Amino acid sequence: MRPPRADRPPIWTARFVSLFLINFVITFAQFMTLVLVPKLASSLGASSLMVGVVAGVFAVTALAVRPAVGWTTLVVRHNYLLAGTVGLILVAFVMYGLSDSVPVLIGARLLHGAAMGFLAPVTLAMASEALPPSRMAQGIGTFSLGQALSTALGPSVGLWMLASVGYRTSFFIGAGVMLVSAIMALRLSSPPAQRPRDVRFRWSSFIASEALLPAAVMFFLAGAFSGVNTFIVLYGEARGVEEIGLFFAAYALFIVLSRPLAGALGDARGLSIVIIPGMVVFAISFVLIANVDSLAGFLLAGAVSALGYGICQPAVQTWALTSVEPDRRGLASNTNYIGVDLGYLIMPIVGGWIVAADVNTGASTQAAYSMMYLTFIVPVAVGLILFLLSRRHRPPRRTLAPTAP
């Protein structure tokens, strides 16, 4: 086997592989609970409204802990922080398994959401530490493949485990996997914490101002994408399409195919060559979704959506990470995910309001969902405009990649 070229240091180092596996396992468990927790809440007697509350409270606590995340990444070694975060998820899974009432289930969701609020920024920051600067965009795209695979596999495996062993055993198995992941996290290498003299809790201790614009772009992109995840099954059912879950499989497949190539292109030619076409394609996917009426149409729309959001999302994350010095990437990652969390919280509400308003004016359910998806082109367009405007005032990238975005 030939050694890597000096100008192309490897991405798949032992440290990166370990972190990739840990992130995949945890996000896999997260997507598994996406289908198990609502069903468990319903089995415990929760109304439809309360099922929604149980699901949504997760995002509330994930956002609520963001102010503490950036500050914590400065004063706690990242591998210890990751292990502690996974430990909290382990406790949440045990609580899921022991839940015999809706309040206990809500408590588990609150804890799980808080842990996930720490997890994404910490793992993204650690991934950037493990990657060579000259291949940052490709590496971040590769790292995010684990989440794409989890999206496709987690819900199906969760339903299979429920049918095979029931709720309690399924969650306890998940807790066991979290224990193994926590031990693996402790064994990861990570730079020592800065331990600065001034560790007061200030705005600059949890927000990287340089990453606010990428976070704003992510707010619009992630918010539009959350509309796909939240309503696509209901929309498919309204269209009379069976096996609508295959939409996510098509999405995951094209994520796996496109992200490594897009990342390599971003490193070689600059992020603009990825982000701008990606946003345009993502906007086109909403036109397709709004007009499909068959499973084949939904699969095509899923593929196009993956090519759009799937390639520009890690590129925008790379933009955020490379906007700051390496020792502040935890702050930049946290700032990025504040935008993501806000998008996930706000845009589904906006989408639901659009559907309800259209139905109340006499539109059919199908037509209401179609109008909603067409409307989601607007936030994508706003994100694109922000990115184009930012190119005039952006400082040089803090990376060794040949070309600035």
Side-chain angles (χ1 to χ4, degrees), residues 35-36 39 157-168 170:
V35 294
L36 292 186
K39 290 177 69 65
V157 173
L159 293 173
W160 173 79
M161 290 180 63
L162 174 61
S164 301
V165 297
Y167 290 110
R168 176 167 295 187
S170 297

Side-chain angles (χ1 to χ4, degrees), residues 42-343:
S42 180
S43 72
L44 292 174
S47 65
S48 297
L49 176 60
M50 186 55 63
V51 169
V53 171
V54 171
V57 75
F58 174 96
V60 172
T61 50
L63 180 61
V65 301
R66 291 295 182 206
V69 175
W71 178 82
T72 307
T73 61
L74 293 177
V75 299
V76 180
R77 195 164 181 152
H78 287 171
N79 62 324
Y80 296 159
L81 186 57
L82 177 59
T85 298
V86 177
L88 289 178
I89 299 175
L90 186 159
V91 175
F93 270 65
V94 172
M95 290 179 65
Y96 287 142
L98 296 176
S99 293
D100 57 1
S101 65
V102 172
V104 175
L105 189 57
I106 290 177
R109 289 297 283 170
L110 287 169
L111 181 61
H112 193 176
M116 293 299 291
F118 276 88
L119 180 74
V122 172
T123 53
L124 189 60
M126 293 183 70
S128 70
E129 295 168 356
L131 291 167
S134 61
R135 304 186 70 186
M136 184 68 69
Q138 184 180 8
I140 294 298
T142 301
F143 184 72
S144 63
L145 288 178
Q147 183 171 351
L149 293 172
S150 300
T151 303
L153 299 176
S156 298
V157 173
L159 293 173
W160 173 79
M161 290 180 63
L162 174 61
S164 301
V165 297
Y167 290 110
R168 176 167 295 187
T169 303
S170 297
F171 285 121
F172 286 169
I173 291 174
V177 173
M178 291 303 106
L179 177 61
V180 175
S181 298
I183 295 172
M184 291 177 63
L186 286 172
R187 296 175 61 86
L188 287 173
S189 62
S190 181
Q194 296 181 53
R195 301 286 183 184
R197 292 181 181 179
D198 185 3
V199 293
R200 289 177 297 174
F201 197 77
R202 300 175 300 179
W203 170 266
S204 59
S205 68
F206 66 91
I207 291 289
S209 58
E210 304 94 324
L212 284 174
L213 193 53
V217 174
M218 277 307 306
F219 164 77
F220 290 107
L221 292 179
F225 178 68
S226 71
V228 177
N229 276 343
T230 303
F231 299 107
I232 197 69
V233 173
L234 297 174
Y235 179 46
E237 291 175 350
R239 288 284 191 183
V241 175
E242 298 180 355
E243 303 294 338
I244 188 62
L246 291 175
F247 175 94
F248 298 104
Y251 175 86
L253 173 62
F254 277 82
I255 285 285
V256 171
L257 295 175
S258 64
R259 277 194 176 172
L261 297 175
L265 184 61
D267 284 326
R269 301 285 301 277
L271 297 180
S272 294
I273 200 70
V274 175
I275 292 176
I276 295 174
M279 290 190 188
V280 172
V281 172
F282 189 38
I284 292 173
S285 73
F286 286 100
V287 178
L288 295 177
I289 294 174
N291 292 281
V292 297
D293 57 4
S294 66
L295 179 59
F298 275 101
L299 297 181
L300 174 62
V304 175
S305 179
L307 290 174
Y309 182 73
I311 64 177
C312 65
Q313 179 229 10
V316 175
Q317 289 179 331
T318 302
W319 172 23
L321 292 171
T322 56
S323 69
V324 300
E325 298 84 359
D327 60 358
R328 297 180 65 237
R329 284 177 180 164
L331 291 177
S333 177
N334 182 59
T335 306
N336 170 78
Y337 278 103
I338 289 175
V340 173
D341 288 342
L342 285 172

Side-chain angles (χ1 to χ4, degrees), residues 359-377:
V359 170
N360 288 338
T361 59
S364 67
T365 303
Q366 295 180 15
Y369 279 119
S370 293
M371 179 57 65
M372 180 201 69
Y373 280 113
L374 288 175
T375 304
F376 276 134
I377 296 174

Side-chain angles (χ1 to χ4, degrees), residues 343-364:
Y344 282 176
L345 277 174
I346 295 173
M347 292 299 183
I349 297 174
V350 173
W353 176 82
I354 292 172
V355 171
D358 285 349
V359 170
N360 288 338
T361 59
S364 67

